[in-house]
Amino acid sequence: MNLSLRFLGVGAAQAVELGSSGAVLERDGEPLLLIDCGPETLTTYEKVYGALPRAVYVTHTHMDHVGGLERLFYRAYFDPALRGKVRLYTHAALVTHLQSRVADYPDVVAEGGANFWDGYQLVPCSRGFWHERLWFDVFPTRHHMPMTSFALALRGSFVWTGDTRPIPEMLAGYAAHGETVAHDCGLAGNPSHTGVDDLEREYPAALRPRFVLYHYGSEADGAALAARGYRIARGGERLALASPNPDVVLEA
Ligand SMILES: [Zn+2]
């Protein structure tokens, strides 16, 4: 199995020029799962793949991660081939937030007859979910209030932290099988996000070569992180991943 992670955007919420943080897991060169859907994510996605995503995982409901879901609803709803078929995976604790942030609009279609979730196949999860015969783990991170942001992991292959402060207690388990770890990291930390000093203080040095940093504040910040010896993700970049552990792959 040939897996890769294509970064669509790598910027912090205010770094619009770097694109909203998000990526696509590809299998054998084909898009398998979009991770987060910010305001301009679909524009980039369609440019790269010439089609709309068939599956999305939502880490949390800040607008730079879900701002594109209304647009995807309209595209999906009015396309008979897509209506109700775009799978949207998210932790069950986020369903009420998702409802209030993007789905709770009166008469989502002016002519009536439609509910927001008619556009999607919503798949709430708790420990994780199956998608295309792969098991993905989902676990809480530290971003604003507890249980409002959740990372994604494919054992043996990758961890995508989503927005978070350092989570050494989680990565000790979820990144224990050689995974590439795409981690939120800017030049300076704050109560909401990881900074490079936090990274160095909180994680064992042995983990550092497996980090790929995203969600930084500017091109210059990215260059400074790279100068400090870290691998940084760039928008559009495609990163080859190791194959997942056999225990998370259901053979056909
Ligand atoms: Zn956030």
mmCIF file of all heavy atoms in Angstrom, residues 3 34 48 67 71 134 136 149 159 167 173 175 178 202 210-211 225 233 246 252:
data_model
loop_
_atom_site.group_PDB
_atom_site.id
_atom_site.type_symbol
_atom_site.label_atom_id
_atom_site.label_comp_id
_atom_site.label_asym_id
_atom_site.label_seq_id
_atom_site.Cartn_x
_atom_site.Cartn_y
_atom_site.Cartn_z
ATOM 1 N N LEU A 3 1.025 4.971 0.667
ATOM 2 C CA LEU A 3 0.318 6.079 1.310
ATOM 3 C C LEU A 3 1.170 7.341 1.294
ATOM 4 O O LEU A 3 2.387 7.284 1.425
ATOM 5 C CB LEU A 3 0.001 5.745 2.770
ATOM 6 C CG LEU A 3 -1.037 4.665 3.052
ATOM 7 C CD1 LEU A 3 -1.260 4.541 4.547
ATOM 8 C CD2 LEU A 3 -2.354 4.951 2.345
ATOM 9 N N LEU A 34 -9.859 13.620 3.372
ATOM 10 C CA LEU A 34 -9.479 15.020 3.622
ATOM 11 C C LEU A 34 -9.491 15.272 5.119
ATOM 12 O O LEU A 34 -10.442 14.888 5.806
ATOM 13 C CB LEU A 34 -10.466 15.962 2.918
ATOM 14 C CG LEU A 34 -10.366 17.454 3.253
ATOM 15 C CD1 LEU A 34 -9.030 18.043 2.815
ATOM 16 C CD2 LEU A 34 -11.532 18.217 2.612
ATOM 17 N N VAL A 48 -6.069 20.496 -7.101
ATOM 18 C CA VAL A 48 -5.153 19.341 -7.081
ATOM 19 C C VAL A 48 -5.799 18.099 -7.690
ATOM 20 O O VAL A 48 -5.183 17.405 -8.491
ATOM 21 C CB VAL A 48 -4.694 19.040 -5.630
ATOM 22 C CG1 VAL A 48 -3.855 17.766 -5.583
ATOM 23 C CG2 VAL A 48 -3.893 20.223 -5.069
ATOM 24 N N GLY A 67 -14.828 25.976 7.979
ATOM 25 C CA GLY A 67 -15.460 27.062 7.210
ATOM 26 C C GLY A 67 -15.858 26.671 5.789
ATOM 27 O O GLY A 67 -16.649 27.364 5.161
ATOM 28 N N ARG A 71 -20.071 25.224 1.943
ATOM 29 C CA ARG A 71 -19.889 25.163 0.494
ATOM 30 C C ARG A 71 -19.931 23.714 -0.004
ATOM 31 O O ARG A 71 -20.549 23.412 -1.019
ATOM 32 C CB ARG A 71 -18.543 25.798 0.164
ATOM 33 C CG ARG A 71 -18.224 25.879 -1.301
ATOM 34 C CD ARG A 71 -16.994 26.777 -1.467
ATOM 35 N NE ARG A 71 -16.201 26.407 -2.602
ATOM 36 C CZ ARG A 71 -14.914 26.739 -2.744
ATOM 37 N NH1 ARG A 71 -14.301 27.403 -1.783
ATOM 38 N NH2 ARG A 71 -14.248 26.399 -3.817
ATOM 39 N N LEU A 134 -9.430 0.708 6.454
ATOM 40 C CA LEU A 134 -8.348 1.117 7.369
ATOM 41 C C LEU A 134 -8.971 1.593 8.668
ATOM 42 O O LEU A 134 -9.993 2.295 8.660
ATOM 43 C CB LEU A 134 -7.526 2.261 6.763
ATOM 44 C CG LEU A 134 -6.739 1.958 5.482
ATOM 45 C CD1 LEU A 134 -6.122 3.238 4.930
ATOM 46 C CD2 LEU A 134 -5.650 0.919 5.762
ATOM 47 N N PHE A 136 -8.695 4.053 11.737
ATOM 48 C CA PHE A 136 -8.067 5.292 12.176
ATOM 49 C C PHE A 136 -8.381 5.523 13.651
ATOM 50 O O PHE A 136 -9.548 5.478 14.052
ATOM 51 C CB PHE A 136 -8.602 6.480 11.369
ATOM 52 C CG PHE A 136 -8.203 6.448 9.913
ATOM 53 C CD1 PHE A 136 -8.947 5.721 8.980
ATOM 54 C CD2 PHE A 136 -7.074 7.135 9.476
ATOM 55 C CE1 PHE A 136 -8.569 5.684 7.638
ATOM 56 C CE2 PHE A 136 -6.699 7.102 8.140
ATOM 57 C CZ PHE A 136 -7.443 6.375 7.224
ATOM 58 N N SER A 149 -11.165 19.053 20.652
ATOM 59 C CA SER A 149 -10.268 18.909 19.504
ATOM 60 C C SER A 149 -9.648 17.508 19.549
ATOM 61 O O SER A 149 -9.228 17.055 20.613
ATOM 62 C CB SER A 149 -9.186 19.987 19.547
ATOM 63 O OG SER A 149 -8.493 20.029 18.317
ATOM 64 N N VAL A 159 0.528 10.400 12.411
ATOM 65 C CA VAL A 159 -0.360 11.063 13.371
ATOM 66 C C VAL A 159 -0.545 12.491 12.877
ATOM 67 O O VAL A 159 0.423 13.138 12.479
ATOM 68 C CB VAL A 159 0.244 11.106 14.790
ATOM 69 C CG1 VAL A 159 -0.648 11.908 15.741
ATOM 70 C CG2 VAL A 159 0.470 9.713 15.336
ATOM 71 N N ILE A 167 1.274 17.252 23.504
ATOM 72 C CA ILE A 167 0.504 16.118 24.056
ATOM 73 C C ILE A 167 1.422 14.900 24.216
ATOM 74 O O ILE A 167 1.143 13.834 23.635
ATOM 75 C CB ILE A 167 -0.696 15.774 23.141
ATOM 76 C CG1 ILE A 167 -0.291 15.854 21.642
ATOM 77 C CG2 ILE A 167 -1.879 16.681 23.435
ATOM 78 C CD1 ILE A 167 -1.312 15.294 20.679
ATOM 79 N N GLY A 173 1.882 6.854 23.260
ATOM 80 C CA GLY A 173 1.206 5.661 22.779
ATOM 81 C C GLY A 173 0.912 5.707 21.290
ATOM 82 O O GLY A 173 1.254 4.793 20.552
ATOM 83 N N ALA A 175 2.120 7.481 18.885
ATOM 84 C CA ALA A 175 3.249 7.627 17.942
ATOM 85 C C ALA A 175 4.364 6.663 18.310
ATOM 86 O O ALA A 175 5.537 6.947 18.072
ATOM 87 C CB ALA A 175 3.748 9.065 17.943
ATOM 88 N N GLY A 178 6.702 4.287 15.081
ATOM 89 C CA GLY A 178 7.479 4.881 13.987
ATOM 90 C C GLY A 178 6.716 5.860 13.121
ATOM 91 O O GLY A 178 7.190 6.263 12.059
ATOM 92 N N GLU A 202 8.820 19.461 25.953
ATOM 93 C CA GLU A 202 7.805 18.452 26.298
ATOM 94 C C GLU A 202 8.045 17.062 25.697
ATOM 95 O O GLU A 202 7.503 16.085 26.198
ATOM 96 C CB GLU A 202 6.419 18.938 25.861
ATOM 97 C CG GLU A 202 5.977 20.246 26.493
ATOM 98 C CD GLU A 202 5.523 20.081 27.939
ATOM 99 O OE1 GLU A 202 5.234 18.938 28.347
ATOM 100 O OE2 GLU A 202 5.476 21.099 28.648
ATOM 101 N N ARG A 210 10.917 12.722 13.662
ATOM 102 C CA ARG A 210 9.670 12.260 13.028
ATOM 103 C C ARG A 210 8.613 13.359 12.928
ATOM 104 O O ARG A 210 7.551 13.160 12.345
ATOM 105 C CB ARG A 210 9.117 11.062 13.808
ATOM 106 C CG ARG A 210 10.003 9.832 13.664
ATOM 107 C CD ARG A 210 9.239 8.567 13.955
ATOM 108 N NE ARG A 210 9.331 8.173 15.362
ATOM 109 C CZ ARG A 210 8.286 7.910 16.134
ATOM 110 N NH1 ARG A 210 7.068 8.025 15.671
ATOM 111 N NH2 ARG A 210 8.464 7.544 17.388
ATOM 112 N N PHE A 211 8.921 14.546 13.484
ATOM 113 C CA PHE A 211 7.966 15.659 13.392
ATOM 114 C C PHE A 211 8.007 16.305 12.011
ATOM 115 O O PHE A 211 9.082 16.486 11.427
ATOM 116 C CB PHE A 211 8.305 16.747 14.416
ATOM 117 C CG PHE A 211 7.887 16.430 15.824
ATOM 118 C CD1 PHE A 211 8.769 16.607 16.877
ATOM 119 C CD2 PHE A 211 6.608 15.973 16.106
ATOM 120 C CE1 PHE A 211 8.392 16.337 18.182
ATOM 121 C CE2 PHE A 211 6.214 15.696 17.411
ATOM 122 C CZ PHE A 211 7.112 15.885 18.445
ATOM 123 N N LEU A 225 11.867 27.974 11.803
ATOM 124 C CA LEU A 225 11.716 26.613 12.362
ATOM 125 C C LEU A 225 12.647 25.639 11.633
ATOM 126 O O LEU A 225 13.281 24.784 12.259
ATOM 127 C CB LEU A 225 10.263 26.130 12.226
ATOM 128 C CG LEU A 225 9.230 26.839 13.111
ATOM 129 C CD1 LEU A 225 7.814 26.464 12.664
ATOM 130 C CD2 LEU A 225 9.429 26.493 14.576
ATOM 131 N N ALA A 233 6.334 21.509 6.951
ATOM 132 C CA ALA A 233 5.503 21.182 5.795
ATOM 133 C C ALA A 233 5.286 22.454 4.987
ATOM 134 O O ALA A 233 5.206 23.551 5.539
ATOM 135 C CB ALA A 233 4.167 20.629 6.264
ATOM 136 N N PRO A 246 -0.217 -3.967 10.054
ATOM 137 C CA PRO A 246 -1.224 -4.912 9.522
ATOM 138 C C PRO A 246 -2.480 -5.001 10.380
ATOM 139 O O PRO A 246 -3.567 -5.263 9.860
ATOM 140 C CB PRO A 246 -0.484 -6.255 9.531
ATOM 141 C CG PRO A 246 0.965 -5.899 9.533
ATOM 142 C CD PRO A 246 1.097 -4.592 10.248
ATOM 143 N N ALA A 252 -8.837 -7.162 1.751
ATOM 144 C CA ALA A 252 -10.037 -7.352 0.911
ATOM 145 C C ALA A 252 -10.323 -8.846 0.741
ATOM 146 O O ALA A 252 -9.434 -9.665 0.817
ATOM 147 C CB ALA A 252 -9.824 -6.703 -0.447
#
